Amino acid sequence: MKMVNAFAAAAVYLGLVHNAAAQERVTWWYEQATPDQQKLIQDNIVGPFDKSQPGYKLVIDYRGSELDKQLRVAMLSGNGPDVVYTAGPSYVAPMAQSGQLLALDDYAAKYKWADRILPVFVEMGRYNGKLFALPKTYETLGLFYNKTVFDKHGWKVPASIAELETVADAMLKENITPFAAGNADWRGANEWFVTLALNSVAGPDNIGKALRGEIPWTAEPFVKAIDTLDQWWQKGYFGKNYFSLTSSEQTANMLAAGQAGMMPSGTWQFHNVDTYFGKSGATPGFVGFPSAEGKPVYPLGIGSTFSIASKARQPDGAAAVIDFVFTPAVYGSMNSAWQGEWNIPLKDHSGVKMGENTSPLFTDTMATLARAVNDGDYGYTTWTFLPPATDSYLINGIEEVWLKRTTTADFLAKLDAAFQKEKRDGKVPAVPAR
């Protein structure tokens, strides 16, 4: 009997070894994530994916804030991951142009992605007529505010630029920083505020014209937008510690504690807002960013994209991973625990189950954004629609304006020169029809 058991145990062991050997490794390099966030990905994506089919084993390598730089180097040498995870469409076009990415059209047909994903996002992943990327999440920028502080002082939530400046000036008189903001951990936070100014002052229609090359970035609407943003900086709306505050947790904590009254930021901040307002006991609010016209603006952004490397060792496995992410189960489990970072652009949410503790403010905001996208009533984020060199200059150059080292005119002239060159080189991301 013992001999039989021994043979049975050996057979089971050999079977497990055989199955493990049969599973091909699919690699995915991810950005920074806390240990808790890594566990969420493991529990809700990696583990379930591995169990869903016997052929592949998903391996995620967390590369932190250096992901973009490491990815570019690896892709040039052909040693990158199977699943290519970028910071947005502006990174996709150059990679597609240089032949580093695999066209996804056959996989899109196989998995029926066009039937499951909002059409505008499928179109935004195209380059020269072929599909090269799908978004992990779509997002918008808006205005978080401390409702408790607003109620205490009798302040009206602003809908126009004039109302925004009125309440910001009132906050300064009360020694409350108007905007909780910082870029100590992410210099790219600079462009959040440029994006808001461009959309709220110049307006989405003018931005669309500039992206299509119909007007230059030196046009008067953009001059007015950058001048307005610079005035906010010079008046102290961004506070005294912008360069030493982190863009995420410290700013959310500042807002929740009532040290700041508002926080111009993106929907990726919902997780931190929920955490810090839960600790402070104050009540958060969120609205579309005020505009010159008095109508809220929702700049559309893609926070990150999925592609497949042209030299992927397991392209079919990479496609299976991407397909697995675009499911109601992943949407519900990840958004319930990590709000704002996994707003996967599914067409149909009927099969999504959200956790009981999910913030109604988050779900309402995402519903509003979905309607705006569906109706074509959205603006443009710079990291989604500008090509990479232009976007890089914008991030660095706006500091030169704020610190009085250059003028608005010179900043926009250099921005336009960079954009026109990249446009000629075919590096401008797709601009969907509205």
Side-chain angles (χ1 to χ4, degrees):
M1 189 67 178
K2 288 182 179 179
M3 184 66 71
V4 173
N5 288 341
F7 277 122
V12 170
Y13 173 76
L14 289 173
L16 291 173
V17 170
H18 174 75
N19 287 340
Q23 281 190 309
E24 301 288 355
R25 284 165 50 95
V26 180
T27 56
W28 169 4
W29 292 1
Y30 196 82
E31 56 193 347
Q32 54 195 355
T34 66
D36 287 344
Q37 291 165 346
Q38 291 181 28
K39 187 176 186 305
L40 285 172
I41 293 174
Q42 178 65 38
D43 292 346
N44 296 298
I45 297 177
V46 178
F49 172 78
D50 289 349
K51 291 178 181 177
S52 69
Q53 42 68 50
Y56 302 106
K57 179 178 178 59
L58 177 57
V59 179
I60 298 184
D61 188 354
Y62 294 92
R63 296 292 177 124
S65 60
E66 294 295 307
L67 170 63
D68 295 334
K69 185 185 299 182
Q70 293 175 11
L71 187 61
R72 280 195 290 267
V73 173
M75 295 293 284
L76 285 172
S77 62
N79 294 315
D82 298 313
V83 177
V84 179
Y85 181 80
T86 81
S90 66
Y91 294 84
V92 173
M95 288 183 179
Q97 186 182 54
S98 59
Q100 295 172 353
L101 301 179
L102 196 66
L104 303 178
D105 300 271
D106 289 344
Y107 291 121
K110 174 183 177 181
Y111 289 112
K112 298 182 175 11
W113 286 338
D115 295 337
R116 295 159 50 198
I117 301 169
L118 289 169
V120 65
F121 296 106
V122 177
E123 292 307 309
M124 288 169 67
R126 296 192 183 281
Y127 179 78
N128 281 349
K130 293 184 178 181
L131 180 66
F132 286 98
L134 290 175
K136 182 199 83 173
T137 180
Y138 69 108
E139 58 202 12
T140 193
L141 288 160
L143 190 69
F144 290 93
Y145 64 97
N146 189 316
K147 188 176 185 299
T148 303
V149 169
F150 269 68
D151 290 346
K152 176 183 177 181
H153 293 275
W155 291 328
K156 176 185 176 183
V157 179
S160 68
I161 295 295
E163 292 174 353
L164 176 72
E165 293 176 345
T166 295
V167 74
D169 291 341
M171 288 177 182
L172 288 175
K173 292 179 181 178
E174 296 292 336
N175 292 318
I176 297 173
T177 301
F179 296 159
N183 75 346
D185 61 330
W186 176 243
R187 199 176 188 186
N190 294 349
E191 69 177 318
W192 304 345
F193 313 114
V194 178
T195 287
L196 286 170
L198 292 175
N199 282 274
S200 297
V201 179
D205 287 343
N206 284 317
I207 297 174
K209 290 177 182 178
L211 291 171
R212 291 187 292 271
E214 296 169 8
I215 60 173
W217 290 100
T218 53
E220 181 57 32
F222 306 123
V223 174
K224 186 175 181 181
I226 299 304
D227 278 347
T228 299
L229 178 61
D230 184 41
Q231 289 166 12
W232 294 347
W233 178 274
Q234 304 306 331
K235 290 174 73 172
Y237 288 4
F238 289 88
K240 299 176 181 179
N241 301 307
Y242 179 83
F243 295 110
S244 60
L245 285 172
T246 63
S247 63
S248 52
E249 293 190 3
Q250 288 182 328
T251 52
N253 185 39
M254 186 178 179
L255 180 69
Q259 298 167 350
M262 299 176 285
M263 181 174 66
S265 192
T267 45
W268 55 84
Q269 269 285 58
F270 267 101
H271 178 69
N272 287 319
V273 166
D274 189 54
T275 298
Y276 286 100
F277 273 86
K279 293 178 180 178
S280 72
T283 303
F286 181 89
V287 291
F289 201 80
S291 71
E293 298 177 350
K295 178 183 178 182
V297 176
Y298 295 95
L300 177 61
I302 292 178
S304 48
T305 65
F306 291 118
S307 297
I308 299 176
S310 58
K311 296 184 179 180
R313 294 172 180 82
Q314 300 296 334
D316 291 348
V321 169
I322 294 171
D323 182 68
F324 187 82
V325 170
F326 285 91
T327 58
V330 170
Y331 183 100
S333 62
M334 293 303 293
N335 272 297
S336 295
W338 192 350
Q339 296 172 11
E341 274 293 335
W342 292 86
N343 190 39
I344 302 161
L346 299 179
K347 273 186 179 180
D348 183 8
H349 285 203
S350 61
V352 172
K353 294 181 180 179
M354 300 293 290
E356 294 180 358
N357 296 325
T358 305
S359 164
L361 185 62
F362 169 73
T363 54
D364 290 347
T365 298
M366 291 300 100
T368 299
L369 176 58
R371 285 194 297 270
V373 171
N374 188 62
D375 295 342
D377 187 18
Y378 56 84
Y380 303 90
T381 56
T382 53
W383 61 91
T384 302
F385 292 97
L386 286 182
T390 307
D391 192 48
S392 178
Y393 172 72
L394 181 148
I395 290 169
N396 298 319
I398 194 60
E399 288 186 11
E400 301 298 299
V401 175
W402 289 339
L403 299 176
K404 295 300 181 185
R405 294 172 182 165
T406 192
T407 64
T408 293
D410 286 344
F411 167 72
L412 289 174
K414 291 180 180 179
L415 186 78
D416 188 64
F419 178 83
Q420 300 305 337
K421 181 180 185 304
E422 289 192 289
K423 191 173 190 307
R424 289 192 297 272
D425 293 342
K427 295 182 178 179
V428 177
V431 182
R434 296 165 64 101

